Amino acid sequence: MPSATGAAVPPRDTALAGAPELAVRRRERPGAPGAPVVLVHGLGGTLEEWEPLAALLAARHPVYSLDLRGHGRSGDADPTLAGCAADVARVVDHFGLRRPVVVGHELGGVVALVCAARRADVAAVVNLGGFGRPDPAVVAEHLGMAPDQAAVHAAAVHRFTVEQTAELFAPMPAATFERALDACRGDPLGLPGAVLAATARRAAATADQLVFPRPGTRAVRALFAELAERDPLDLAERVAAPVLTLAAADPPPPMPGAPARFADIVAAHTAHALARSRPGSRVGAVAGTRVPHLGRPEAVAELIEEFLAGAEPPRRR
């Protein structure tokens, strides 16, 4: 991917010693005019998922992606939002990043907000889909349901999401894992198969002909439980730094066993997230994909650059 100077910015992998050890990938072009950008993956992801976007942003910014604790090639530690935010802070401090922009996907978006709430030096946050669990009141309002009916539907969607995600990170035979990698390489749902396969491979620990996808079911359930107790949208309104909230405009694909009105509830939740903005912050929807930074990296890079060009410095609290 060409940089502003016409040459690709090569990635360099680094291991940050500490508890836990953190795997970091960085792209640093001397004289890059933009603010440093830290990329934070979602639950069960790795830094590999950022490769399409990182290569684009590196034209103007020093770019750093990391494997959160318990993910990819980073070490294990308590799976908490505070701990994940501390991982991001360690990257910022280790590399001496001044006024960083923190970009996160889903879990990573919430982690970015937590980090910005704790550090006055975060210049801006980009939250891609870190919206928390469906709110029954939002479901009732958007879909015209009675409150008790909305609560049942919202709970079913949340439970289904947790169980489906946890199942993905249960141990499996090595042959089953390899078949899953082959499916990834087929560019499922229009997403880059090579990137998906690299992410899955990086997240895999093997022993005795079994594959243990990280972070594992226990950590998945723990993080979902903590996320269920937070309102990321409320947190975004209280963060001092400007926030760009991005969502996929397309409905989720059909999923076997999904609860009734699954797609409608996801759409209502997304619409509510995009409606909650404040002065100095922006929202946007990316069409043509369910995972914007993977399916439409050029569009996401453009939205981020436009946002940063107009973002005001963070207010002192």
Side-chain angles (χ1 to χ4, degrees), residues 100-119:
V101 176
V102 186
V103 180
H105 173 236
E106 295 187 344
L107 167 68
V110 182
V111 170
L113 292 169
V114 173
C115 191
R118 295 181 169 202
R119 297 183 63 112

Side-chain angles (χ1 to χ4, degrees), residues 8-263:
V9 182
R12 300 168 59 191
D13 285 4
T14 302
L16 263 58
E21 181 176 88
L22 296 176
V24 180
R25 180 168 295 167
R26 51 197 172 114
R27 284 176 166 86
E28 299 163 320
R29 180 170 63 81
V37 175
V38 181
L39 303 172
V40 190
H41 61 74
L43 182 56
T46 76
L47 59 77
E48 292 287 354
E49 72 181 56
W50 291 110
E51 283 299 285
L53 182 62
L56 293 168
L57 293 176
R60 289 186 47 82
H61 305 268
V63 180
Y64 305 81
S65 53
L66 73 151
D67 290 335
L68 292 171
R69 56 184 56 206
H71 290 73
R73 296 180 184 168
S74 288
D76 287 316
D78 287 344
T80 64
L81 290 176
C84 291
D87 295 342
V88 176
R90 283 177 55 200
V91 172
V92 171
D93 292 337
H94 178 85
F95 292 103
L97 307 184
R98 297 184 59 188
R99 302 192 65 247
V101 176
V102 186
V103 180
H105 173 236
E106 295 187 344
L107 167 68
V110 182
V111 170
L113 292 169
V114 173
C115 191
R118 295 181 169 202
R119 297 183 63 112
D121 62 337
V122 172
V125 170
V126 180
N127 176 11
L128 289 89
F131 305 151
R133 67 181 295 174
D135 182 341
V138 171
V139 172
E141 178 183 354
H142 281 257
L143 300 182
M145 292 183 181
D148 56 345
Q149 182 185 23
V152 170
H153 279 281
V157 167
H158 177 69
R159 184 167 56 252
F160 175 78
T161 303
V162 173
E163 294 304 320
Q164 288 289 106
T165 307
E167 184 177 339
L168 291 174
F169 294 93
M172 68 184 73
T176 301
F177 178 73
E178 293 300 327
R179 287 195 296 271
L181 284 186
D182 288 341
C184 285
R185 296 187 185 100
D187 294 354
L189 304 176
L191 301 176
V195 177
L196 294 177
T199 296
R201 179 75 74 186
R202 188 177 180 91
T206 59
D208 299 327
Q209 297 300 309
L210 287 175
V211 173
F212 299 83
R214 305 185 76 207
T217 57
R218 184 186 70 84
V220 166
R221 293 184 185 281
L223 285 165
F224 263 118
E226 187 174 0
L227 286 168
E229 298 300 319
R230 285 179 176 263
D231 182 352
L233 303 179
D234 180 61
L235 179 60
E237 292 176 350
R238 293 187 285 109
V239 165
V243 178
L244 171 62
T245 301
L246 294 177
D250 293 15
M255 300 180 68
R261 306 202 69 179
F262 178 82

